[in-house]
Amino acid sequence: MEGSLETLFASVASRANPAGMLTIPDEVRCLDTNDLEKLESAFRAWVAKGRGAGVTLARRRILALFLLLRHTGARLGEASGLEGRSLVLEKGLVRLGTPPRDVLVAETVLAEIVGLVTTGGGRESPVLPEYPFAVDPGHVRRKFYACAEAAGLGREMGSPSVLRRSRAVELLRGGVPLPAVQRLLGHGNAELTAAYVAVPDDAMRRMVGDALDREQRRSSARNAFFGRVEDVRIGDVQASVRLQTPTGLEVLAIITNDSLEALGLARGAYALAEVKAPWVVLQRGEHPRSSAGNVYPGEVVRVRKGAVSAEVIVRLDAGTEVCAVLAADTLATLELCDGAHVWVVINALSVILNAV
């Protein structure tokens, strides 16, 4: 049973993140996230054993350099020549290389890096050396190798180039697109970055199968509107998102700003808007005066009446079919039947958005 659960969890994880199925070619030496954590622990233990202010300060600088390489994928030469002003703490950015490229780093990590190399000035206005990572490269490599051995990873796995490849693989397997990782590393072409990972035949079939499955769900799901985000307007608490389907139908949704950020929706992105059938309101007569946000003319194409409720299928002018579930007495009041012209009203707050 345990094996079956592991298989199930692996299947769910791969569907949530197909990039997680990427493998690492044998010739590519890199560390996975767990090994990187072991290496970091070895560095911290080494710093903690330092005796005297001078030794401790020197070791803190090496730890800061390790964290910088581990979280940015920078080359050792780039990091050694990095100016203190290139650590943009308030934006969580590190400016690397020539031509310069901005690499986003978790603010907590960047704050620790700055703290490790700060010489004074207090937390609010740290004083950084002009070149905080200007350490002899040979000395750096020796300490990196020693910490890798202490972590049980093997001397060669502490190489700065291994850290660079490890960060790239970590991001690629985390779902960051190849062009973004290429820019982060400063590679001249995508082939250099793509060489770090491979897609096995079985994984490729699963990825394509998942994509086909999502396409099928988009085309067959009831009250599901697939389209491109045309407009996003952010308010104090909530945001309005307007998307347009391939048939020209526009759907307005209102979601919280937190949800907007979590979904990563912006103009030009694609999304799936879903509406539960009981939330679809049908009206007869003239164009309804409504603040619902989504009002469409349509024609009833099918009615299924039960003792308590009824299911009504309406075809909109754009050709999309919408299902509404009404109380049986409401069906009688509206005098709905095949061919009846109705207005479909959907409150923007009732639209559920999913990123695709």
Side-chain angles (χ1 to χ4, degrees):
M1 181 65 180
E2 184 177 350
S4 299
L5 286 175
E6 290 179 353
T7 301
L8 175 61
F9 292 152
S11 174
V12 172
S14 68
R15 286 176 177 269
N17 177 24
M21 292 186 278
L22 297 174
T23 62
I24 305 169
D26 293 337
E27 65 273 14
V28 176
R29 292 190 306 169
C30 68
L31 302 170
D32 63 22
T33 302
N34 288 337
D35 287 339
L36 287 167
E37 293 296 329
K38 291 179 183 178
L39 183 54
E40 181 175 330
S41 296
F43 269 99
R44 294 187 183 280
W46 173 66
V47 172
K49 293 177 182 177
R51 294 291 181 266
V55 172
T56 299
L57 180 61
R59 292 190 177 189
R60 283 165 59 92
R61 179 177 289 189
I62 297 293
L63 171 59
L65 183 56
F66 163 77
L67 292 174
L68 183 69
L69 298 183
R70 185 259 181 273
H71 290 282
T72 65
R75 302 177 181 89
L76 178 57
E78 290 178 327
S80 298
L82 189 68
E83 297 183 23
R85 63 184 180 183
S86 296
L87 302 173
V88 188
L89 186 60
E90 67 273 13
K91 294 183 180 180
L93 295 173
V94 176
R95 185 155 294 164
L96 293 167
T98 304
R101 63 186 189 279
D102 287 340
V103 179
L104 186 65
V105 179
E107 291 185 10
T108 53
V109 173
L110 187 54
E112 181 178 13
I113 292 172
V114 171
L116 287 168
V117 296
T118 294
T119 58
R123 186 173 181 178
E124 297 300 324
S125 56
V127 177
L128 295 172
E130 186 177 1
Y131 294 97
F133 307 106
V135 184
D136 175 60
H139 177 68
V140 169
R141 292 181 186 278
R142 288 192 293 273
K143 299 307 177 184
F144 276 36
Y145 294 150
C147 285
E149 285 185 318
L153 301 173
R155 175 184 175 87
E156 70 282 356
M157 299 308 288
S159 165
S161 61
V162 168
L163 293 179
R164 179 171 164 81
R165 287 192 293 270
S166 300
R167 184 53 175 161
V169 170
E170 190 175 42
L171 292 172
L172 289 168
R173 299 184 79 175
V176 179
L178 177 63
V181 179
Q182 175 197 346
R183 290 174 58 189
L184 181 147
L185 295 179
H187 277 162
N189 60 71
E191 291 183 4
L192 293 173
T193 315
Y196 293 160
V197 293
V199 183
D201 290 342
D202 60 338
M204 182 179 67
R205 286 191 291 270
R206 289 168 62 189
M207 289 180 186
V208 175
D210 287 348
L212 294 176
D213 183 53
R214 289 193 298 271
E215 288 179 356
Q216 177 63 25
R217 289 202 303 272
R218 287 202 299 263
S219 61
S220 62
R222 175 167 290 181
N223 293 350
F225 310 94
F226 171 74
R228 183 176 58 206
V229 175
E230 296 293 333
D231 183 57
V232 176
R233 298 185 181 183
I234 301 176
D236 294 336
V237 178
Q238 295 175 312
S240 67
V241 180
R242 179 172 57 85
L243 62 85
Q244 186 176 78
T245 71
T247 60
L249 184 71
E250 292 192 348
V251 181
L252 180 68
I254 294 179
I255 59 177
T256 65
N257 292 338
D258 289 342
S259 295
L260 180 71
E261 182 178 358
L263 291 170
L265 293 178
R267 193 172 186 273
Y270 287 90
L272 187 68
E274 297 180 290
V275 182
K276 294 183 178 180
W279 296 348
V280 177
V281 177
L282 301 182
Q283 296 185 23
R284 300 292 300 273
E286 298 180 355
H287 193 296
R289 296 181 178 178
S290 173
S291 61
N294 301 290
V295 180
Y296 315 108
E299 179 181 330
V300 176
V301 295
R302 188 166 64 254
V303 177
R304 293 177 180 173
K305 184 178 180 181
V308 178
S309 62
E311 180 185 87
V312 181
I313 306 299
V314 179
R315 181 174 294 126
L316 307 183
D317 287 354
T320 304
E321 290 191 351
V322 176
C323 175
V325 173
L326 314 173
D329 55 352
T330 302
L331 180 71
T333 301
L334 293 175
E335 298 180 350
L336 295 178
C337 61
D338 291 0
H341 293 280
V342 297
W343 293 96
V344 174
V345 180
I346 300 173
N347 195 303
L349 292 168
S350 299
V351 179
I352 302 170
L353 289 182
N354 299 282
V356 295

